[in-house]
Amino acid sequence: MAASSAATDGVAAAALRSVIQRVCQAAESSGRASDRIRIVAVSKTKPVSLIRQVYDAGHRSFGENYVQEIVEKAPQLPEDIEWHFIGNLQSNKVKPLLAGVPNLATVESVDDKKIADRLDRMVASIGRKPLKVYVQVNTSGEESKSGIEPSECVELAKHVSQDCPNLEFCGLMTIGMPDYTSTPENFKTLANCRSEVCKALGIPEEQCELSMGMSGDFELAIEMGSTNVRIGSTIFGAREYRQKN
């Protein structure tokens, strides 16, 4: 029965089930409740038909890296999807992103006051409900990576919480090492940032999510406290980048 259902509802849906199982096992082995861990299915470069297949398997949290892609795809898909924007966000793309994706749930990549302020103003001018945001921290120290220095995360989290009434500070995000596999140090750095941020804001650590872990390292991330894993190729297959003419 299981094999035939995997055949009919497709490879991506079967892959999703396998990821859910692995998340449950990782949570269990570290004494955590699996329902406290969100799987964001990262669909960048993937067609709407494939996203729909994963949606039809019961999944609702999806992530995209590029404004152009999410703005094209979101209107073609059901409105109860919770979209996470996880890519580098430029100020001039804030308006098209918020206007084009009414069901945008979270922006995970806020890494300076300027982008926080721009999001805050645009949420107000569109009149949508407050937008959840994560502060992106560069835990690997590489210049090529977006994200603020760990030493600056408290200041930015405070700014979002106290000076951006249309944003809801929800947690911290990191990408990790260049080959997209993180070391325990990267994850530990983010967990330490959370402790400092929660102390500064006077909130319990459960109220501050940790978005860390991708296809290559999500089990390790869960072991180290991740509440939000961003899984792309393990669910959807290798990325397909269009050839530029």
Side-chain angles (χ1 to χ4, degrees):
M1 177 65 197
S4 66
S5 79
T8 51
D9 67 6
V11 178
L16 171 72
R17 282 196 291 274
S18 162
V19 165
I20 292 169
Q21 203 172 0
R22 286 170 64 188
V23 165
C24 289
Q25 284 166 348
E28 205 174 294
S29 65
S30 45
R32 299 179 59 206
S34 61
D35 61 1
R36 299 298 302 265
I37 299 158
R38 181 188 305 101
I39 299 167
V40 177
V42 180
S43 45
K44 75 172 178 184
T45 80
K46 296 301 176 184
V48 165
S49 57
L50 204 55
I51 300 171
R52 185 78 209 210
Q53 185 192 117
V54 175
Y55 174 90
D56 288 342
H59 201 66
R60 292 296 177 267
S61 295
F62 291 85
E64 286 285 345
N65 289 63
Y66 302 112
V67 172
Q68 192 183 341
E69 268 196 80
I70 193 171
V71 166
E72 277 174 21
K73 293 173 183 177
Q76 302 178 59
L77 288 155
E79 287 175 10
D80 64 337
I81 284 179
E82 291 191 351
W83 289 103
H84 286 232
F85 186 78
I86 61 177
N88 184 28
L89 183 58
Q90 294 161 324
S91 287
N92 63 342
K93 296 286 174 67
V94 166
K95 186 175 182 179
L97 174 65
L98 291 182
V101 190
N103 52 334
L104 180 70
T106 309
V107 171
E108 295 201 16
S109 45
V110 172
D111 61 0
D112 64 26
K113 287 183 179 178
K114 183 183 164 194
I115 202 73
D117 291 342
R118 180 91 175 119
L119 283 164
D120 184 57
R121 287 195 300 271
M122 197 53 64
V123 169
S125 82
I126 286 176
R128 59 155 282 160
K129 66 178 186 185
L131 179 70
K132 294 178 176 179
V133 299
Y134 295 172
V135 165
Q136 183 174 351
V137 183
N138 183 340
T139 56
S140 60
E142 295 159 272
E143 286 179 22
S144 63
K145 286 276 158 49
S146 299
I148 53 160
E149 293 297 310
S151 60
E152 295 165 13
C153 67
V154 169
E155 194 186 338
L156 185 52
K158 265 187 175 173
H159 177 72
V160 171
S161 295
Q162 295 166 4
D163 304 326
C164 300
N166 303 291
L167 302 182
E168 185 187 338
F169 171 74
C170 284
L172 304 171
M173 182 268 246
T174 195
I175 289 177
M177 296 305 272
D179 58 356
Y180 291 97
T181 57
S182 294
T183 63
E185 286 74 39
N186 296 135
F187 295 152
K188 200 164 181 5
T189 298
L190 200 67
N192 291 342
C193 286
R194 174 169 68 176
S195 302
E196 289 170 26
V197 164
C198 290
K199 198 171 158 188
L201 297 179
I203 59 172
E205 292 203 357
E206 300 75 60
Q207 268 181 40
C208 181
E209 293 211 35
L210 291 181
S211 175
M212 57 188 197
M214 298 195 277
S215 285
D217 54 21
F218 68 88
E219 283 139 322
L220 174 64
I222 288 167
E223 199 180 302
M224 302 195 70
S226 177
T227 60
N228 191 81
V229 292
R230 309 179 306 270
I231 315 286
S233 53
T234 302
I235 294 172
F236 290 106
R239 303 241 157 82
E240 297 145 24
Y241 292 100
R242 288 187 200 127
Q243 292 293 317
K244 287 187 176 148
N245 295 330

